Amino acid sequence: MFSPMTRARLLGKAVECVSRVHLQSGAVCQKAAVKHSTPQIPPCDFKPDSYQAMSKQRLLEIRKQICNPMTMKVTYYKEPVFIHQGHMQWLWDMDGKRYLDLFAGVATVSVGHCNPRVTEAAVKQLEHLWHTTAIYIHPQIQEYAEKLASLLPEPLKVVYLTNSGSEANDLAMLMARVHTGNHDVITLRGSYHGGSPLAIGLTSNAAYKYPVASGFGCHNTMCPDVFRGVWGGNQCRDSPVQTIRECSCSPGHCQANGRYIEQMKEMFATTVPNRIAAFFGEPIQGVGGAVQYPKSFLKDTYKLVREKGGICIADEVQTGFGRTGSHFWGFQAHDVMPDIVTMAKGIGNGFPMGAVVTTEEIAGSFAKGVHFNTFGGNPVACAIGSSVLDTIAEDGLQENCAVVGTYLLTELAKLRDKHEIVGDVRGKGLMIGVEMVTDKVSRVPLPKEAMAEIFEDVKDMGVLIGTGGLYGQTFRIKPPMCITKEDVDFFLAVFDQALQNYETRR
């Protein structure tokens, strides 16, 4: 037996001997006193083309010198990934290394990179008609609008087509103000509703703000985050996995929800006029880190908003199109009926596209002026959007989100119980957040440097994920909806190994 001092010296030497080893697969693992096997990426029979264009060095030079400064600011990783080609849930870099994509271009690639069915629809339309505006009648816009509207409950049946989520939310805010005759709009802290000059007022995250006047009439209130917020417990949210916080609530009655609703009432009493225009809410916060609210929060909030003359807007940019598994739209799980639904990202599987769907009454109010969008609803976008809807239905992707997503969540919860730095696992379907902390008691966010180490390690072993949260403390997992349990098992092994590597280094 060694004395405590001798064991400490031996452990110190073992940690000093840690070296990075590149394996044949291109992955990177940590070789220490205990040798870990590197998780093996699942097989894939698709063969990418060989990259033969501009060098990585030249690409990076152009990115730094000619592309706008924000391009480098948002570039992931110390050693950036140079993507060359994609197929379904897989991406290949310029050197031919394959990655499992669990971020899907920020929850945008819904049915898989270059999905063959969607690609065929796009090519067919490109060979027939690229573009003409809504001043002429072409079949694609009518066919797509009817198909999209059929997937929403009554009375949400009037469709406006846009090019992005920011544009959709801009339009929805304008419609709310015109229809109600009121100006003030409420959102939740930590929300993200776009980066356009108007939508930035809705977004409640300082990282996206500029020191100029913007967002007149936009207000934010406390986010009912049952893990990091003031109140919350282990019975609060609609998820296969609950927070580890203790809860004193009786079954069916969430005390946290009541307290967060009191905060909403206080905002109405102190911050906004007696009449408001709208409330914007993501069914699950996206950029905010897959934050979920108490089960009745949106339902109670909608009631308060309507009492103040406002309308309720569901931002489905990230949660829509079956991603949450249990429902096609995220708002349906909250048992609410919004007056306007905005959507983008997964709507076009990566093609620039967005939409606003509302009621005939609100559309009638908005028709008093002229609204025109040159590219919204162009033939190519509509053909792609229609094929995406068909693919989701025919390939059972909403069901896949429910089955594979629930499996991933429950397995991630086991890693939460295993690793002290994993504070919370949350989400529904394939809309998942893993919040990292220094320890579970304090819930202090894991520092950005530590997050970056784990993030880089996961990438080096062949998996791409995202980050989010107000403090950058949450890993975001929002893959193409076609991933399999085999893919999930690979990621779990990689993530577990990355956490162990960090804990060993620490």
Side-chain angles (χ1 to χ4, degrees):
M1 295 292 290
F2 296 110
S3 69
M5 185 173 294
T6 302
R7 283 200 301 270
R9 283 201 304 270
L10 290 172
L11 179 59
K13 289 185 179 294
V15 172
E16 287 173 7
C17 289
V18 173
S19 61
R20 299 181 71 78
V21 180
H22 292 259
L23 303 179
Q24 278 188 333
S25 64
V28 177
C29 72
Q30 295 297 323
K31 186 176 181 181
V34 178
K35 188 174 181 179
H36 299 286
S37 60
T38 302
Q40 293 299 306
I41 195 166
C44 172
D45 57 10
F46 180 84
K47 303 298 182 185
D49 299 331
S50 176
Y51 180 76
Q52 297 177 344
M54 196 178 290
S55 70
K56 289 191 282 187
Q57 180 181 353
R58 182 59 184 146
L59 287 170
L60 200 55
E61 287 173 356
I62 295 172
R63 194 173 179 90
K64 291 178 178 178
Q65 298 168 11
I66 300 176
C67 295
N68 73 77
M70 282 296 166
T71 310
M72 282 305 301
K73 191 171 184 178
V74 300
T75 299
Y76 271 3
Y77 306 113
K78 294 177 183 177
E79 297 180 10
V81 178
F82 291 79
I83 296 298
H84 165 49
Q85 196 166 351
H87 177 73
M88 302 307 283
Q89 64 268 49
W90 306 107
L91 289 170
W92 285 263
D93 68 15
M94 294 174 185
D95 298 319
K97 179 177 176 178
R98 178 160 56 101
Y99 297 89
L100 175 62
D101 182 11
L102 296 190
F103 201 34
V106 193
T108 299
V109 179
S110 50
V111 299
H113 293 283
C114 302
N115 182 290
R117 185 186 286 119
V118 180
T119 300
E120 182 182 1
V123 170
K124 182 179 179 181
Q125 186 58 50
L126 282 167
E127 291 175 341
H128 191 71
L129 178 66
W130 280 36
H131 175 71
T132 183
T133 70
I135 62 175
Y136 306 116
I137 299 175
H138 60 86
Q140 288 76 24
I141 189 170
Q142 282 74 223
E143 291 170 358
Y144 178 67
E146 182 180 45
K147 187 179 290 187
L148 180 62
S150 71
L151 294 168
L152 286 130
E154 293 282 357
L156 296 166
K157 293 301 172 186
V158 183
V159 177
Y160 297 77
L161 295 174
T162 68
N163 306 289
S164 72
S166 294
E167 188 182 330
N169 283 331
D170 270 5
L171 178 58
M173 180 157 49
L174 178 60
M175 294 172 77
R177 286 171 168 169
V178 169
H179 178 68
T180 64
N182 303 323
H183 188 71
D184 292 75
V185 180
I186 296 172
T187 62
L188 300 174
R189 290 174 198 153
S191 63
Y192 182 85
H193 298 286
S196 64
L198 201 58
I200 201 69
L202 298 171
T203 293
S204 178
N205 186 321
Y208 298 94
K209 301 285 190 178
Y210 289 90
V212 297
S214 64
F216 294 111
C218 294
H219 313 273
N220 61 70
T221 188
M222 184 181 288
C223 175
D225 181 346
V226 298
F227 173 72
R228 182 159 296 286
V230 182
W231 306 288
N234 55 20
Q235 299 184 49
C236 292
R237 61 194 183 203
D238 176 25
S239 173
V241 178
Q242 297 293 332
T243 176
I244 58 174
R245 292 176 72 175
E246 292 298 323
C247 183
S248 59
C249 299
S250 57
H253 178 71
C254 180
Q255 295 178 19
N257 181 65
R259 288 168 176 164
Y260 286 117
I261 289 297
E262 286 301 317
Q263 290 294 310
M264 181 69 75
K265 290 178 178 177
E266 186 171 331
M267 159 165 258
F268 284 131
T270 61
T271 308
V272 296
N274 287 329
R275 308 289 290 177
I276 66 170
F279 166 78
F280 268 81
E282 303 162 271
I284 299 174
Q285 284 193 347
V287 175
V291 173
Q292 292 182 278
Y293 324 127
K295 296 172 187 175
S296 300
F297 178 78
L298 281 186
K299 191 170 187 177
D300 293 344
T301 296
Y302 274 31
K303 182 175 183 293
L304 292 175
V305 168
R306 286 171 172 147
E307 287 172 357
K308 293 291 183 178
I311 65 173
C312 300
I313 300 171
D315 182 337
E316 294 276 358
V317 169
Q318 294 199 29
T319 50
F321 300 94
R323 178 164 289 279
T324 60
S326 64
H327 299 81
F328 200 81
W329 305 106
F331 71 79
Q332 293 171 312
H334 294 271
D335 192 24
V336 296
M337 177 60 70
D339 303 289
I340 297 177
V341 179
T342 61
M343 58 196 78
K345 291 189 180 291
I347 192 174
N349 199 45
F351 193 86
M353 190 177 182
V356 176
V357 183
T358 189
T359 65
E360 289 185 359
E361 182 184 4
I362 294 173
S365 298
F366 195 60
K368 294 172 184 176
V370 176
H371 170 73
F372 179 75
N373 190 313
T374 300
F375 296 104
N378 81 79
V380 177
C382 290
I384 289 172
S386 183
S387 182
V388 167
L389 293 180
D390 292 343
T391 302
I392 292 171
E394 293 169 19
D395 290 358
L397 295 185
Q398 180 184 335
E399 182 183 2
N400 192 62
C401 287
V403 174
V404 177
T406 298
Y407 174 69
L408 175 52
L409 279 161
T410 53
E411 293 301 308
L412 281 170
K414 295 176 183 177
L415 295 185
R416 176 201 61 193
D417 297 340
K418 177 180 178 181
H419 298 280
E420 180 66 15
I421 59 173
V422 180
D424 195 32
V425 171
R426 54 180 176 257
K428 285 189 67 177
L430 292 174
M431 180 88 175
I432 297 171
V434 180
E435 184 158 347
M436 309 298 291
V437 294
T438 56
D439 64 88
K440 288 182 172 68
V441 175
S442 71
R443 288 174 286 148
V444 171
L446 194 67
K448 290 182 178 180
E449 297 77 15
M451 289 289 292
E453 285 184 39
I454 300 168
F455 194 50
E456 200 88 20
D457 222 5
V458 170
K459 178 260 293 182
D460 289 343
M461 285 188 277
V463 181
L464 304 179
I465 56 177
T467 59
L470 281 177
Y471 312 103
Q473 81 283 16
T474 303
F475 290 122
R476 296 163 65 195
I477 303 165
K478 300 165 185 181
M481 300 192 298
C482 56
I483 67 163
T484 67
K485 284 188 176 181
E486 187 179 16
D487 301 329
V488 166
D489 287 335
F490 170 62
F491 164 65
L492 290 165
V494 165
F495 192 52
D496 187 24
Q497 186 63 63
L499 296 174
Q500 291 182 54
N501 292 345
Y502 171 76
E503 290 164 349
T504 299
R505 289 192 297 267
R506 186 174 64 167

